[in-house]
Amino acid sequence: AQKITQTQPGMFVQEKEAVTLDCTYDTSDPSYGLFWYKQPSSGEMIFLIYQGSYDQQNATEGRYSLNFQKARKSANLVISASQLGDSAMYFCAMRGRGGRGSTLGRLYFGRGTQLTVWP
Amino acid sequence: DADVTQTPRNRITKTGKRIMLECSQTKGHDRMYWYRQDPGLGLRLIYYSFDVKDINKGEISDGYSVSRQAQAKFSLSLESAIPNQTALYFCATSDSVGTENLSYGYTFGSGTRLTVV
């Protein structure tokens, strides 16, 4: 079974500071992908960043980077230079390469971290 | 037009009523999913479909049913709505995963906020 754990229900950061949102996972799949999504108060799910389990380097997308530590099974999201518009719910998710009867290729989500950026 | 369209966007219904949430997509994806989101619980899978003839239950399917009318359409029904089905519902689509790139994530609809009173 796949499991995603986000231990921080809420995080606060001052504008222009960096913040790390934690995510740990558990899987028996040898190959898997890790995702982060942002959900602003309007409700839509916005894809931020992806990390493959065999990728040699940590993924980066603009101000977002993923601190991937495979041995620790962690995939923390780092947001640099926080902006007020970063205030949102953030979800970590994972999918494996399984077919039927296994992970089925679906995404498993953590419970989310509510990030608040203050001026 | 959005790649994945959910209707309605918001709905208030009474306990015991049957309600249908609709989802249509223009991505050409074969896989479609229904999730519900509750505060503090993240997104939980209700049903998923690999193609028109392949529909499967997720972790929380009790009280729900689905219909895959076509590759592009996947509807979720609440047979007799109850207050604890008040939630934000998402439809999502994805391409097949097999030997394909794991980086293929989901394309989400904008969500349906359902309130059962």
Side-chain angles (χ1 to χ4, degrees):
Chain A
Q2 320 296 309
K3 185 176 181 181
I4 296 283
T5 302
Q6 294 180 254
T7 58
Q8 307 155 315
M11 288 286 286
F12 294 84
V13 65
Q14 189 170 24
E15 197 176 11
K16 300 180 184 179
E17 297 294 313
V19 63
T20 298
L21 306 184
D22 293 341
C23 173
T24 58
Y25 60 91
D26 191 19
T27 180
S28 57
D29 273 0
S31 181
Y32 49 89
L34 296 154
F35 300 77
W36 278 91
Y37 287 87
K38 173 184 178 181
Q39 185 183 46
S41 58
S42 54
E44 72 268 29
M45 297 288 283
I46 301 168
F47 166 73
L48 293 178
I49 195 168
Y50 166 81
Q51 176 83 44
S53 60
Y54 286 105
D55 291 344
Q56 295 298 311
Q57 292 187 328
N58 287 344
T60 60
E61 291 286 348
R63 295 185 298 110
Y64 304 108
S65 61
L66 202 152
N67 183 1
F68 180 48
Q69 298 187 49
K70 192 171 182 178
R72 294 185 176 185
K73 294 188 175 180
S74 73
N76 298 339
L77 177 69
V78 180
I79 305 175
S80 63
S82 298
Q83 301 172 356
L84 296 178
D86 293 334
S87 293
M89 180 71 79
Y90 289 80
F91 290 100
C92 180
M94 178 179 67
R95 81 186 306 185
R97 192 184 289 284
R100 294 174 192 279
S102 125
T103 60
L104 305 169
R106 55 164 283 197
L107 276 175
Y108 291 81
F109 289 86
R111 296 190 174 198
T113 296
Q114 180 68 48
L115 176 66
T116 302
V117 181
W118 50 284
Chain B
D1 288 343
D3 292 328
V4 180
T5 301
Q6 289 185 236
T7 55
R9 290 294 309 274
N10 294 280
R11 179 73 181 267
I12 300 174
T13 192
K14 293 184 178 181
T15 298
K17 293 291 187 182
R18 185 178 189 274
I19 182 171
M20 179 182 289
L21 309 183
E22 299 188 352
C23 177
S24 62
Q25 54 124 339
T26 58
K27 295 288 290 184
H29 287 165
D30 49 358
R31 298 186 173 195
M32 299 187 74
Y33 309 82
W34 276 105
Y35 283 85
R36 68 176 277 177
Q37 181 185 352
D38 298 277
L41 295 180
L43 278 74
R44 294 181 293 165
L45 185 64
I46 307 172
Y47 270 95
Y48 59 99
S49 171
F50 287 165
D51 61 42
V52 175
K53 296 181 180 180
D54 188 354
I55 294 176
N56 305 277
K57 293 181 177 180
E59 290 102 28
I60 55 166
S61 60
D62 287 349
Y64 301 94
S65 63
V66 290
S67 173
R68 185 86 183 261
Q69 301 95 326
Q71 191 205 27
K73 296 182 181 295
F74 192 37
S75 300
L76 175 72
S77 293
L78 285 68
E79 299 302 325
S80 179
I82 56 176
N84 77 359
Q85 291 177 313
T86 294
L88 179 60
Y89 290 83
F90 283 104
C91 175
T93 71
S94 73
D95 230 333
S96 298
V97 174
T99 58
E100 291 184 28
N101 194 329
L102 273 169
S103 67
Y104 286 7
Y106 284 3
T107 300
F108 282 91
S110 298
T112 295
R113 292 190 183 275
L114 177 66
T115 303
V116 183
V117 298

